Amino acid sequence: ICVCRLYCEEEKDPKRRSCQTVLAEALDAVVRSFAPILPHLAEEVFQHLPYKKDTEGVFRTGWINVSSAWKKPGIEEAIEGACAMRDSFLGSISGKNALEYEAVIVIEPGLLFELMEALQPEETSSVSQLNEIMMASQTTLLSELPKETPADANIIKGNFLINLEGGDIREDSSYKVIALPITKAKCPRCRRYTSDSSSTLCPRCLKVMAGKGST
């Protein structure tokens, strides 16, 4: 996910910047956590952080301080649910390149579907957070099995228990995951199968490169 966002998105795209923020916060927490036992290494890392504006050392800037803004109800459950579906998807194509497939997720209307919609508002996307987690070239989120599903399609069924508000909200939801061979060509830039031909960039990469040319 990080590599795709950092390399493929525009320099100041919110997706890319948010990824950099998460990496910076993670590094800050790791450095502070091992500072008591590896003080010299922690201090060296801290002093070479390119985005730190203060000159005080790691021991003078306090312990790990995670902003409450990071704690958003439903986000943890949404990510865990998506990861469970990803495991089902990857298990159904064991040993094969996930980028050569489209992941079709079918969830009946309910809380789990709403959580997945938060990761992918569109029905089908190749650039959504949900698709990044699924590691496919494209992900489709539906509330019922499509009529055109191949008769020999390998439909993986699973369940996910949602536990919100300390257990006050609980819902055991079922889902289906189908891996369908992708029909598009590989984009020569992002390597996802989202291009009309192997010699042209996909829509996302065309937009990014057009933006670079105008700056």
Side-chain angles (χ1 to χ4, degrees):
I1 295 176
C2 288
V3 172
C4 182
R5 288 191 177 194
L6 293 174
Y7 173 73
C8 296
E9 301 294 351
E10 291 184 73
E11 183 179 359
K12 295 184 179 181
D13 188 282
K15 288 184 178 181
R16 186 174 187 274
R17 296 302 298 271
S18 66
C19 181
Q20 290 176 310
T21 299
V22 170
L23 292 174
E25 289 288 335
L27 178 60
D28 185 85
V30 169
V31 172
R32 293 181 191 278
S33 66
F34 69 64
I37 55 176
L38 294 170
H40 298 294
L41 177 60
E43 186 63 34
E44 183 176 1
V45 172
F46 197 80
Q47 292 298 332
H48 284 83
L49 295 178
Y51 48 84
K52 285 291 182 182
K53 296 182 180 179
D54 56 73
T55 57
E56 294 185 330
V58 65
F59 292 100
R60 297 193 178 191
T61 52
W63 186 237
I64 300 170
N65 183 23
V66 180
S67 172
S68 59
W70 290 84
K71 185 63 175 178
K72 294 183 178 180
I75 292 297
E76 182 178 354
E77 287 72 19
I79 298 299
E80 289 181 351
C83 287
M85 296 173 198
R86 178 192 61 194
D87 292 342
S88 298
F89 168 65
L90 295 179
S92 69
I93 57 169
S94 181
K96 298 179 181 178
N97 183 3
L99 291 176
E100 295 179 358
Y101 290 84
E102 172 188 4
V104 179
I105 301 173
V106 182
I107 311 171
E108 292 184 0
L111 185 53
L112 182 59
F113 187 88
E114 293 175 4
L115 291 175
M116 294 305 106
E117 271 193 320
L119 299 177
Q120 180 172 297
E122 310 89 351
E123 181 177 287
T124 299
S125 177
S126 61
V127 296
S128 68
Q129 296 181 75
L130 180 58
N131 188 65
E132 289 179 340
I133 294 172
M134 295 301 292
M135 301 170 63
S137 272
Q138 180 174 289
T139 295
T140 297
L141 178 62
L142 302 171
S143 58
E144 58 182 16
L145 203 65
K147 296 180 180 179
E148 63 273 14
T149 302
D152 59 346
N154 184 17
I155 303 176
I156 306 298
K157 299 179 180 180
N159 287 78
F160 183 74
L161 177 62
I162 301 171
N163 192 343
L164 292 171
E165 303 296 335
D168 291 340
I169 302 177
R170 291 172 63 89
E171 183 177 297
D172 191 8
S173 303
S174 61
Y175 62 84
K176 299 181 181 71
V177 178
I178 311 168
L180 298 177
I182 202 76
T183 57
K184 294 188 176 182
K186 181 193 289 187
C187 172
R189 180 173 180 269
C190 69
R191 304 298 180 183
R192 291 176 183 259
Y193 289 77
T194 52
S195 182
D196 293 330
S197 72
S198 58
S199 60
T200 60
L201 299 180
C202 68
R204 187 264 301 274
C205 289
L206 281 173
K207 180 181 178 181
V208 173
M209 296 307 293
K212 287 184 176 181
S214 61
T215 56

